[in-house]
Amino acid sequence: MKTISIDTDFSPFPAGRYRNDGPNSGERFRDDLLAPALRMEETQVLLDGAVGFGSSFLEEAFGGLVRVARFTHSDLASRLKLVTKDPHLRTEILRYIEEARAQS
Amino acid sequence: MRIEFDQTEQVISCGTILLMAELDRLRRLGVAKRLSGKRPKAIVVRQVFDQVGLSELLRIRPKKWAADDLPESVKHWRFRSGTLTEGQQFAEPLGGFSSRIPQFGRLYAGVVEAMANTKAHAYPDPATNPADTARWWMFWQVRDQVFSVSIIDLGIGIPKSLSQSKRWGRDALEQVVLSLSRAEPVAARILAAIQIGRTRTELPHRGKGLADVVDVIRASPGARLTIASDRGLVRVESEDAPVTRDYSTCLEGTLIQWMLPLRSEAEL
C-alpha cells in the first residue's frame, strides 16, 4: 500500500482549487500525487498533518478524482483510504466524491 | 496630497486595512507618487503604522522598534497581501501561537477560501484585467485576549457578484432574498450568497467557500464574524441569528473579519 502524508509529501498548507490559484492547490495534489498513486495501487492519505483544508481544495482533490481523473466510485471505495482523527473531515471528503459521482 | 495623522489617537483594524488596501492599490497603479502623510503623535498609533507598513505607504520613515518597546496591542499586528491562495501567508508567521486560537484549522479554511474567492468571484473577468488587480490584503492582531483577522478585496462586492449569477436566475434569487426579507436589502444579498453558496461561478461543484468562512464561528463560543460588502453588513455570532445592516455609503469591495477569544494557557 502506498502512503501519502499530506504535510510531508505535499504541504502543511493546502489551499486553493486550481494550479493557478496557488502553489498547493487541490488540482496539483490530485494530478501529481494522488491520482498517479491510486492508478498503481491501494493508497492511504494521512490528512492530520495539514493546518486545515478549505472546501475548494478538498472538492477539487477528491471530487475531482471522479469528475476529472475518471475514477469510479467503486474504484475509490476499494483503493482510497483516508486516515484522520477528524470524522467531519472524512465525511466532507466522501460527500464530495459522492456529489461528483451523482453529477457525472 | 498629504494626509495628516498627527491628531490620530486610535486606529481600528477594519478601517486601517481598507486605507492600506486603497493606498497600496494606488501605489501599484503608479498614481501614488504625490501622496504622503504626516506622522501620528500618539506613540501607539505610530507603532502600528510602522509595524504594519502604513508608514512606508505614506512615505513616512518608519522607526525600527525593539520588540520590548512594542505593547501587546501592537506586537501582533501583521499585514500581508497577495493574489494567490496561499495559506502559509497566514499560518506560517503565527507558528506555535496558533495553538492558542480555537478551531484554528477551521479558521484557516475560512481564510484560504476568502483568498480564493478574491480570484474566483470578487473582481471583474480576469481575462480582461491585469492579474495583479485581483488582490487581497490581510491583517491580524491580538488585543485583549482576542485574535482578529481581517481580509479585504477591492472588487465588485458580494451583492453585485450574486446578481451576475446566471445559474441562479432572477426569480430564484429574489425568492431567497424575499425569504430573508427581515434583513436590510443589500445585506440580505450577502446572507443569500452564504445560503446558496454561490456567486459568479456557475459550476455546480464550486462555490462552497462562504460556508467555510462562517463555519468556524458556529463552532467557537464567543466568536464573531463580520462581512461588509458594498453597502451591506452581516454579523454572525455563534448560534445567534445573523444581524444585518445597510449603510448609505458603499465599501468598494468586501471585508471579512473573524474575532475569536484566545484559549487560556490552562486550556492548552
Side-chain angles (χ1 to χ4, degrees):
Chain A
M1 178 188 283
K2 168 97 175 168
T3 297
I4 298 173
S5 178
I6 194 145
D7 58 333
T8 56
D9 295 325
F10 184 67
S11 169
F13 309 108
R17 179 177 291 277
Y18 302 125
R19 285 180 191 273
N20 62 5
D21 287 339
N24 303 316
S25 68
E27 181 181 28
R28 185 171 82 81
F29 177 70
R30 181 194 68 216
D31 289 351
D32 293 1
L33 284 177
L34 185 53
L38 284 166
R39 287 193 183 101
M40 298 294 291
E41 58 188 314
E42 190 177 342
T43 301
Q44 64 173 354
V45 184
L46 311 184
L47 294 157
D48 288 345
V51 173
F53 296 95
S55 57
S56 298
F57 176 91
L58 291 176
E59 202 291 325
E60 192 62 33
F62 294 96
L65 287 173
V66 175
R67 190 179 58 257
V68 180
R70 299 296 175 191
F71 285 91
T72 66
H73 197 265
S74 60
D75 284 340
L76 296 178
S78 62
R79 291 188 202 172
L80 175 63
K81 185 178 179 191
L82 303 170
V83 182
T84 174
K85 292 174 185 167
D86 182 351
H88 300 294
L89 177 58
R90 182 197 310 276
T91 302
E92 185 177 358
I93 290 171
L94 295 177
R95 190 175 77 238
Y96 292 140
I97 292 171
E98 174 56 29
E99 286 175 357
R101 184 198 63 77
Q103 290 163 8
S104 62
Chain B
M1 180 187 289
R2 180 176 167 91
I3 308 175
E4 297 189 344
F5 289 97
D6 53 322
Q7 301 300 315
T8 303
E9 296 179 352
Q10 188 178 20
V11 287
I12 294 168
S13 61
C14 290
T16 308
I17 193 174
L18 177 59
L19 174 65
M20 287 195 68
E22 292 285 8
L23 292 175
D24 190 41
R25 176 162 68 170
L26 290 173
R27 184 180 66 82
R28 290 175 189 279
L29 291 171
V31 294
K33 290 173 184 169
R34 293 182 186 171
L35 189 67
S36 64
K38 190 170 181 182
R39 189 189 308 281
K41 286 180 184 169
I43 293 294
V44 172
V45 177
R46 185 177 166 189
Q47 288 172 329
V48 169
F49 274 43
D50 292 348
Q51 175 80 353
V52 301
L54 187 51
S55 294
E56 287 177 328
L57 285 173
L58 291 164
R59 299 181 174 207
I60 299 170
R61 183 181 296 176
K63 180 178 175 180
K64 289 188 177 175
W65 302 91
D68 290 346
D69 291 338
L70 296 174
E72 282 294 309
S73 61
V74 176
K75 196 178 290 182
H76 296 292
W77 279 75
R78 291 289 185 277
F79 174 72
R80 290 287 187 281
S81 176
T83 57
L84 297 176
T85 305
E86 293 180 290
Q88 60 269 42
Q89 291 256 23
F90 170 57
E92 210 162 35
L94 286 167
F97 186 79
S98 62
S99 65
R100 293 203 55 200
I101 302 168
Q103 301 286 338
F104 185 71
R106 289 189 180 190
L107 177 62
Y108 173 89
V111 169
V112 297
E113 287 303 311
M115 289 176 180
N117 280 349
T118 295
K119 186 170 184 180
H121 311 281
Y123 289 90
D125 185 357
T128 59
N129 286 275
D132 197 45
T133 59
R135 178 167 286 275
W136 51 260
W137 293 264
M138 179 169 57
F139 257 176
W140 65 94
Q141 67 160 329
V142 174
R143 189 165 193 170
D144 300 330
Q145 295 300 305
V146 174
F147 179 79
S148 69
V149 53
S150 307
I151 186 163
I152 190 171
D153 67 64
L154 300 177
I156 61 174
I158 294 170
K160 286 193 181 75
S161 179
L162 189 67
S163 299
Q164 291 182 9
S165 173
K166 293 171 187 161
R167 182 180 181 85
W168 291 86
R170 178 170 292 274
D171 289 348
L173 185 61
E174 292 304 328
Q175 284 300 314
V176 175
V177 173
L178 278 174
S179 73
L180 302 163
S181 57
R182 287 186 179 179
E184 303 287 345
V186 181
R189 290 183 170 263
I190 301 173
L191 274 180
I194 294 170
Q195 287 212 347
I196 66 177
R198 196 175 310 277
T199 49
R200 289 195 313 132
T201 296
E202 310 304 336
L203 300 174
H205 58 280
R206 296 188 57 183
K208 301 172 175 74
L210 274 174
D212 285 343
V213 166
V214 178
D215 275 353
V216 63
I217 301 303
R218 297 300 193 196
S220 309
R224 187 166 80 183
L225 169 74
T226 303
I227 302 177
S229 190
D230 198 285
R231 291 191 301 105
L233 180 143
V234 172
R235 181 161 288 153
V236 181
E237 295 189 36
S238 298
E239 294 298 326
D240 297 343
V243 173
T244 61
R245 187 169 175 183
D246 278 6
Y247 291 88
S248 57
T249 54
C250 180
L251 173 72
E252 303 284 350
T254 298
L255 170 72
I256 301 174
Q257 184 191 51
W258 299 261
M259 299 180 75
L260 296 103
L262 291 177
R263 298 164 73 192
S264 66
E265 301 283 353
E267 291 176 283
L268 297 178

